[in-house]
Coordinates of all heavy atoms in Angstrom, one line a residue:
A176 N 1.5 10.5 3.9 CA 0.8 9.2 3.6 C 1.4 8.6 2.4 O 1.6 7.3 2.3 CB -0.7 9.5 3.4
A177 N 1.6 9.4 1.3 CA 2.2 8.8 0.1 C 3.6 8.2 0.3 O 3.9 7.2 -0.2 CB 2.3 9.9 -1.0
S178 N 4.4 8.9 1.1 CA 5.7 8.5 1.4 C 5.7 7.2 2.2 O 6.4 6.2 1.9 CB 6.5 9.5 2.2 OG 7.7 9.1 2.6
A179 N 4.8 7.1 3.2 CA 4.7 5.9 4.0 C 4.2 4.7 3.2 O 4.6 3.6 3.3 CB 3.7 6.1 5.2
S180 N 3.3 5.0 2.3 CA 2.7 4.0 1.4 C 3.8 3.4 0.4 O 3.8 2.2 0.2 CB 1.5 4.5 0.6 OG 0.9 3.5 -0.1
A181 N 4.6 4.3 -0.1 CA 5.6 3.9 -1.0 C 6.6 3.1 -0.3 O 7.1 2.0 -0.8 CB 6.3 5.1 -1.6
S182 N 7.0 3.4 0.9 CA 8.0 2.6 1.6 C 7.4 1.3 2.1 O 8.1 0.3 2.3 CB 8.6 3.4 2.8 OG 7.7 3.7 3.7
A183 N 6.1 1.3 2.4 CA 5.5 0.1 2.9 C 5.1 -0.8 1.8 O 4.9 -2.0 1.9 CB 4.3 0.4 3.8
G184 N 5.0 -0.3 0.6 CA 4.5 -1.0 -0.6 C 5.3 -2.3 -0.9 O 4.8 -3.3 -1.2
G185 N 6.6 -2.1 -0.8 CA 7.5 -3.3 -1.1 C 7.3 -4.4 -0.1 O 7.2 -5.5 -0.4
A186 N 7.2 -4.0 1.2 CA 7.0 -5.0 2.3 C 5.6 -5.6 2.1 O 5.5 -6.9 2.3 CB 7.1 -4.3 3.6
F187 N 4.6 -4.9 1.7 CA 3.2 -5.4 1.5 C 3.2 -6.4 0.3 O 2.7 -7.5 0.4 CB 2.3 -4.3 1.3 CG 0.8 -4.7 1.1 CD1 0.2 -5.4 2.2 CD2 0.2 -4.6 0.0 CE1 -1.1 -5.8 2.0 CE2 -1.1 -5.0 -0.2 CZ -1.8 -5.6 0.8
A188 N 3.9 -6.0 -0.8 CA 3.9 -6.8 -1.9 C 4.6 -8.1 -1.6 O 4.2 -9.2 -2.0 CB 4.6 -6.1 -3.1

Side-chain angles (χ1 to χ4, degrees):
S178 175
S180 186
S182 64
F187 181 63

